[in-house]
């Protein structure tokens, strides 16, 4: 088991104004799966002073090594995906109107009537929808069909072309104890991972993977894990909080996670059965430090761990998420305390990692 | 110079269902022997043809892949001399009744797919599309002979004879993806006429239609610096939506999207424009549905490109393709490869 | 062999939490192994023999995990909502019993169904642990359980909730015990997490890097009243897989198995399964590819609390495996 460290001497990295500003910059950047350049640029600029090695691989993952002190440090991959869900323009129908296809999990109801930004030049546009006056009662009973929607940048904008990616245009704001913005999934993880690199524990080789194409099948993480060949992996993501009232005010038993409940530790999702040794280690760490945590409700959904743990001859893996409401929509809402507690838990857990943890067989 | 229409006709007349590609592989081997320096097989049966480059070793390499496996059917049971069926790869069962097939039993047997007449179907299916499990193959033979010659697990392939139309298009089954095998062959014969610095691995891959198994494993074995998948794509045709199809006979498609490295897309596009080879741009926002979907995520990751050959009536026995699109795709690849210099990889960066 | 089978099927080991069943298997195989290892995901890997000149490196895989459930929420009255680990059908859940890794037991109940002709969804089911509030309940979110049902010996047929795939495990153990001489280097892999997507075998196959792979697993049948048409039945011998929902078996491996069965005068049947897959899929796609196939044990009512296999099929599977492993491979 891990060594216990004293709570008095341990001081975790803090989430302050600078970290929030960095998150804001990252959230406001556009990085639809397969076109992550804008976020990659910020990541590279941020991590360069702290990296022993940096590589941008064939898919565009940013792989950063920061070595620990000592000869045989545990090689720990910490992963956060840079990409976000969005759209891609597929057909130019003329007059600034474009057909599009979705990239990642988005449904038509969150698209209709929203402001958007198109392409690297961030050309503003809309996904309009016909006025209610022109719909009939029967039509309004059915969900909006994706095929009826178009991107509209206006007839004069010829800076837009087929292949361009589209993201929601939504401002980042602080709301008391919360933050609201687009692409919290997973710019929160990216920002947290940058902070970990800046304050890297000395007892491990920290292998930071800022991955691409998570939202379209965990594609970046797969090759990243192969290249890094770590002893274990920890994935930082942001998972939905469905902690809303139920329609009949009965007990909500399907909340997935709750805002304010602390970092969400994964036991089982569609892609991964987390390594029980690592789950235990995270829980022990949280309890030793008095950091609140929650177990993400086992069930559907997934993270990059789904491919990482199956790479090579197997990589013990676990995921930790900051809970967030309304992911895959123009804005998410997250709680600052959850973010701070996630950073604290993960940083402390890494600091307390020893090779003995994996010497015991998986339960 | 390889006679492409003739080669294609042979290619689609030779069986090679997913997982059982040996007959067609032997034919491709013959076609590639004069065009390559070395021919080997993967452990799953993909064909690897190497054309050594003229550059100084260690040379970078490019893998060009076309899957050679075909969709088809498989025997699941024998009932009174009739054969029950399941599909290998994605087939719309509604087009099957009346199709001529070959049953690959202890010997090849001609047969025809029939569906149960309405009066013999369960009531809930009357007037509905008939699922494959209510269809049979009739070989015309007596039950005892069928039992001797056929067993569960035997393959059934389409027997539609290929033919050319007046408009220089060819029709037949398994144009998906033998048309691309023909394009690869054309590329190899074009490469023979010019020098290229890089090593070229031409791969006729197995099992694309089921698991992308050939693409995963051959790419792992060969570890190229770059990879191109050539596969068929949807050509404009009656009844198919215009926003998901590309014109037939007006050149190959160049695909862009997350499966493709943007610099490769750009370079192929510039090559086509320089040579005045017509092309259409195809967008693949998530998944290209080709070998490249596997090749890109092998090992540390491989920069990929996808070239599409527009084809009508995909996964039916009357797939139609324009010969000119095949030779254009082959030539475009050859010219792109010939243009690869020792420093190309250093220019393959992410434009951030 | 029946007592071994009973011991194996009555030991808990849901996907991802295979340690208890791994210990039982380890005790059985240790005396016959050259080397026993546990890999990073928890698969038990037993090496046997050195590869002779004409020998191969062969990976044999039987998965030791079973389907199970995981708690998603304990409500204020102490009822536990749950999610599935692997292919759990709500059809077979109601009234079923589960046992947690910590020993807690419970029974499965259901919300009131508005329409009794419809099957409940998993979200409409809950586990009743006999507690009256959430404080008394011995489980919490994330705890894992397997189904509980005793082994039944019907003479020529055996029934258990975990024949899939403890029967494969039993066949591998028995073959390992009886194997006198082999020209091959054998890796008997008791894999983890098969039921959630052949995950354990994916990692194990990469680590072993075999020349040839064979899974031993159960397959469906078509020999029960008004069954879906499938030409496999109980008592007609081991089934040689031609394909399933996730893989086309390597034709060379299929031939190898057919010839061995005929040479040893063993009954066999050809299997075309229109869904599902096995560890063989993972082996086939590892690294640069591996010729792979599957020896299947016909099994009725797969993924129900009462999976049934034929005792003769099990014995003939052991015999076929011994015939395969005792001689050089001809392709």
């Amino acid at each position: 088991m891990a060594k216990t460290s004293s709570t008095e001497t341990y001081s975790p990295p803090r989430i302050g104004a600078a970290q929030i500003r960095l998150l804001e910059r990252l959230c406001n950047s556009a990085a639809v799966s397969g076109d992550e350049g804008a976020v990659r640029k910020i990541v590279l600029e941020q991590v360069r002073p702290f990296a022993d090695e940096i590589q941008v691989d064939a898919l565009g993952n940013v792989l950063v090594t920061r070595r620990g002190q000592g000869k045989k440090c545990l090689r720990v991959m910490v992963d956060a995906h840079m990409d976000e869900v969005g759209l891609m323009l597929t057909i130019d129908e003329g007059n600034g109107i474009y057909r599009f296809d979705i990239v990642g999990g988005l449904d038509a109801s969150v698209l209709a009537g929203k402001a958007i930004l198109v392409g690297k030049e961030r050309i503003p546009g809309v996904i309009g929808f016909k006025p209610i006056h022109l719909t009939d009662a029967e039509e309004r009973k059915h969900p909006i069909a994706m095929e009826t929607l178009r991107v509209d940048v206006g007839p004069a904008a010829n800076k837009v072309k087929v292949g361009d990616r589209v993201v929601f245009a939504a401002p980042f704001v602080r709301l008391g104890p919360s933050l609201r913005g687009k692409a919290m999934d997973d710019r929160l993880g990216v920002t947290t991972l940058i902070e970990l690199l800046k304050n890297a524990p000395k007892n491990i080789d920290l292998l930071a993977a800022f991955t691409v194409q998570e939202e379209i099948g965990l594609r970046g993480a797969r090759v990243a894990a192969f290249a890094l060949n770590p002893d274990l992996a920890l994935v930082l993501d942001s998972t939905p909080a469905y902690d809303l009232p139920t329609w009949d005010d009965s007990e909500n038993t399907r909340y997935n996670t709750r805002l304010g409940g602390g970092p969400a530790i994964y036991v089982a999702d569609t892609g991964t059965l987390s390594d029980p040794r690592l789950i235990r280690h995270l829980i022990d760490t949280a309890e030793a430090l008095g950091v609140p945590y929650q177990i993400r409700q086992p069930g559907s959904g997934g993270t990059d761990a789904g491919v990482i743990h199956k790479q090579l001859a197997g990589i013990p893996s676990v995921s930790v998420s900051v809970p967030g409401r309304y992911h895959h929509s123009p804005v998410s809402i997250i709680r600052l305390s959850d973010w701070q507690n996630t950073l604290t838990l993960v940083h402390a857990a890494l600091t307390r990692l020893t090779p003995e943890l994996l010497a015991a067989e998986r339960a | 110079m390889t006679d492409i229409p003739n080669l294609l006709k042979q290619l689609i007349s030779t069986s090679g269902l997913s997982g059982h590609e040996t007959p067609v592989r032997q034919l491709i081997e013959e076609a590639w022997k004069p065009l390559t320096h070395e021919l080997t097989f993967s452990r799953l049966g993909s064909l690897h043809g190497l054309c050594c480059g003229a550059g100084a070793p260690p040379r970078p390499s490019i893998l060009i892949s076309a899957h050679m496996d075909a969709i088809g059917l498989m025997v699941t049971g024998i009932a009174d001399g009739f054969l029950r069926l399941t599909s290998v790869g994605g087939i719309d069962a509604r087009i099957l009744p009346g199709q001529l097939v070959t049953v690959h039993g202890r010997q090849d047997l001609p047969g025809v797919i029939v569906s149960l007449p309405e009066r013999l179907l369960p009531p809930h299916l009357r007037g509905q599309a008939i699922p494959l499990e209510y269809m049979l193959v009739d070989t015309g033979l007596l039950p005892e002979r069928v039992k001797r010659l056929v067993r569960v697990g035997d393959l059934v392939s389409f027997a539609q004879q290929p033919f050319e139309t007046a408009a220089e298009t060819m029709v037949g089954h398994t144009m998906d993806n033998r048309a691309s095998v023909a394009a690869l062959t054309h590329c190899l014969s074009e490469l023979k006429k010019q020098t290229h610095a890089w090593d070229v691995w031409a791969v006729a891959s197995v099992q694309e239609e089921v698991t992308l198994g050939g693409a995963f494993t051959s790419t792992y074995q060969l570890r190229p610096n770059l990879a191109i998948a050539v596969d068929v794509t949807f050509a404009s045709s009656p009844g198919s939506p215009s926003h998901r199809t590309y014109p037939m006979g007006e050149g190959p498609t160049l695909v862009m999207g997350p499966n493709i490295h943007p610099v490769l897309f750009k370079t192929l596009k510039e090559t086509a424009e320089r040579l005045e080879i017509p092309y259409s741009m195809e967008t693949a926002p998530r998944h290209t549905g080709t070998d490249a979907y596997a090749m890109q995520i092998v090992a540390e990751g491989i920069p990929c490109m996808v070239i599409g050959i527009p084809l009508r009536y995909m996964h039916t026995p009357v797939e139609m393709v324009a010969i000119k699109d095949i030779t254009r795709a082959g030539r475009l690849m050859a010219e792109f490869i010939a243009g690869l210099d020792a420093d190309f990889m250093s220019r393959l960066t992410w434009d951030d | 062999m029946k007592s071994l089978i009973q011991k194996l099927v009555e030991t808990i080991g849901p996907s991802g939490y295979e340690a208890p069943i791994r210990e039982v298997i380890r005790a059985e195989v240790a005396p016959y192994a050259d080397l026993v290892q546990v890999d990073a995901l928890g698969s038990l890997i037993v090496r046997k023999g050195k590869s002779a000149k004409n020998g191969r490196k062969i990976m044999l895989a039987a998965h030791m995990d079973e389907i199970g459930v995981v708690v998603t929420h304990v409500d204020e009255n102490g009822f536990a909502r749950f999610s599935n680990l692997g292919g759990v059908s709500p059809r077979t859940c109601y009234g079923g019993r589960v046992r947690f890794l910590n020993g807690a037991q419970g029974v499965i109940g259901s919300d009131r169904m508005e329409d009794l002709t419809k099957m409940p969804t998993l979200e409409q089911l809950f586990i009743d642990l006999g507690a009256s509030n959430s404080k008394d309940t011995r489980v919490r979110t994330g705890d894992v359980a397997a189904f509980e049902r005793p082994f039944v010996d019907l003479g020529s047929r055996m029934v258990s909730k975990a024949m899939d795939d403890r029967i494969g495990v039993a066949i591998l153990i028995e073959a390992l015990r009886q194997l006198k001489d082999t020209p091959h280097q054998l890796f008997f892999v008791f894999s983890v997490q098969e039921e959630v997507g052949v995950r354990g075998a994916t990692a194990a196959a990469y680590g072993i890097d075999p020349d040839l792979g064979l899974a031993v697993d159960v397959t469906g049948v078509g020999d029960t009243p008004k069954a879906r048409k499938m030409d496999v039945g109980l008592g007609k011998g081991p089934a040689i897989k031609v394909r399933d929902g996730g893989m086309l078996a390597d034709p060379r491996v299929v031939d190898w198995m057919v010839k061995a069965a005929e040479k040893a005068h063993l009954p066999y049947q050809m299997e075309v399964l229109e869904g599902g897959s096995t560890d063989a899929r993972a082996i086939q796609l590892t690294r640069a590819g591996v010729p792979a196939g599957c020896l299947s044990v016909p099994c009725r009512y797969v993924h129900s609390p009462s999976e049934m296999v034929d005792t003769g099929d099990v014995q003939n599977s052991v015999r076929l495996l011994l015939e395969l492993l005792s001689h050089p491979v001809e392709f």
Side-chain angles (χ1 to χ4, degrees), chain B residues 111-325:
Chain B
V112 60
I113 299 178
V114 298
S115 74
L116 293 184
E118 188 150 287
R119 66 182 63 186
L120 301 184
L121 285 171
H124 73 271
L125 282 178
R126 291 186 192 150
Q128 303 294 310
I130 300 170
L132 185 53
E133 61 177 304
Y134 299 98
M135 294 182 193
L136 301 163
V137 172
D138 191 340
T139 59
L141 302 178
L142 297 178
E144 312 85 76
R145 188 152 164 76
V146 172
K147 228 172 176 177
R148 259 206 317 282
L149 293 175
V150 183
R151 76 178 186 205
V152 170
D154 283 348
L155 301 167
V156 178
S157 60
F158 290 120
Q160 170 67 48
Q161 291 297 307
F163 59 89
E164 278 173 85
T165 69
E168 288 185 23
T169 64
M170 193 176 283
V171 173
H173 65 81
T174 324
M175 288 295 182
D176 173 4
N177 190 29
R178 306 285 163 78
S180 303
V181 174
L184 240 58
T185 311
H186 188 68
C187 169
L188 293 177
S189 54
E190 289 284 317
L191 276 176
K192 216 164 155 81
K193 294 190 288 196
Q194 43 190 320
T195 53
H196 50 96
W198 284 39
D199 282 347
V200 180
W201 286 103
V203 172
S205 65
V206 297
Q207 299 190 30
E208 190 270 352
E209 298 286 1
V210 285
T211 58
L212 303 176
F216 272 117
T217 52
S218 289
T219 312
Y220 187 92
Q221 183 179 342
L222 302 172
R223 296 297 174 92
N225 298 83
L226 302 176
I228 300 180
V230 189
D231 209 329
V232 295
T233 187
F234 304 106
S236 324
S237 63
S240 298
S242 64
H243 65 282
R244 296 192 55 199
T245 55
Y246 305 90
M248 185 177 72
E250 294 178 26
T253 65
L254 300 179
V255 185
M256 68 161 306
N259 208 179
I260 279 97
H261 196 294
V263 174
L264 284 182
F265 172 79
K266 191 164 156 269
T267 314
L268 258 300
K269 186 166 156 275
E270 286 164 1
T271 308
E273 279 159 6
R274 178 168 53 81
L275 299 166
E276 295 178 352
I277 296 174
Y279 68 90
S280 309
M281 190 175 123
E282 179 175 350
T283 49
R286 298 178 298 267
H287 187 323
T288 55
T290 70
D291 274 351
Y293 195 65
M295 298 194 296
Q296 188 191 27
I297 55 167
V298 166
E300 294 92 349
I302 312 280
C304 284
M305 177 63 196
V306 176
I307 297 176
I309 298 175
L311 171 136
R312 288 182 180 164
Y313 321 118
M314 200 182 290
H315 283 204
T316 75
V318 290
E319 294 175 332
M320 182 188 285
V321 66
I323 298 294
K324 244 195 271 176
D325 290 341

Side-chain angles (χ1 to χ4, degrees), chain A residues 33-253:
Chain A
S33 309
D35 188 33
E36 296 87 355
V39 165
R40 183 165 43 238
K41 192 172 170 188
I42 298 173
V43 168
L44 285 169
E45 154 215 306
Q46 290 288 317
V47 302
R48 205 156 263 139
F50 306 95
D52 291 313
E53 279 170 48
I54 298 184
Q55 192 206 342
V56 178
D57 73 9
L59 276 75
N61 292 313
V62 179
L63 307 179
V64 184
T65 301
R66 182 161 181 191
R67 276 186 276 281
Q69 292 166 353
K71 268 188 204 137
K72 276 208 77 177
C73 291
L74 269 178
R75 294 168 53 77
V76 183
M77 173 174 176
V78 184
D79 165 297
H81 68 89
M82 298 189 288
D83 63 315
E84 68 190 288
V85 297
L87 312 175
M88 186 189 212
L89 302 185
T90 55
I91 302 282
D92 182 349
E93 294 188 330
N95 287 324
I97 308 279
Y98 291 82
R99 265 186 189 271
F100 62 85
D101 206 343
I102 54 165
V103 182
L106 273 173
D107 70 59
S109 67
V110 308
L111 294 174
K114 299 298 188 315
I116 50 165
L117 295 169
V118 182
K120 290 203 190 341
E121 294 187 50
R122 302 169 69 83
I123 305 298
V126 300
I127 299 171
F129 195 64
K130 64 177 160 180
I132 184 170
H133 322 70
L134 303 182
T135 63
D136 60 39
E138 184 56 31
E139 199 180 340
R140 288 195 297 273
K141 283 188 204 157
H142 300 285
I144 296 167
M146 195 70 85
E147 299 76 52
T148 63
L149 299 178
R150 297 288 186 278
V151 163
D152 185 348
V153 292
N158 44 15
K159 287 177 173 166
V160 167
K161 60 186 185 305
V162 167
D164 279 354
R165 272 48 166 222
V166 180
V167 296
F168 292 114
F172 182 99
V173 288
R174 175 147 185 186
L175 307 167
S178 305
L179 297 174
R180 196 189 74 191
K182 90 162 173 67
M184 290 286 182
D185 170 12
D186 184 29
R187 303 297 149 69
L188 270 171
V190 170
T191 315
T192 308
L193 184 48
I194 291 170
E195 290 307 310
L196 287 172
L197 271 172
K198 290 181 177 169
N199 302 279
K202 305 274 185 284
N203 55 315
I204 57 167
D205 286 346
L206 180 56
L207 315 171
F210 299 89
T211 61
V212 297
Q213 300 191 24
E214 192 267 358
E215 298 287 1
I216 53 170
L218 321 181
R219 295 174 60 78
R222 190 181 141 118
V223 299
F226 187 95
L228 294 172
N229 188 13
D231 295 316
L232 66 111
L234 195 145
V235 175
L236 302 174
D237 210 328
S238 184
T239 192
Y242 300 116
D243 54 342
L244 283 70
T246 61
W247 67 275
D248 60 354
D249 292 325
S250 62
E251 183 179 354
N252 177 353
T253 61

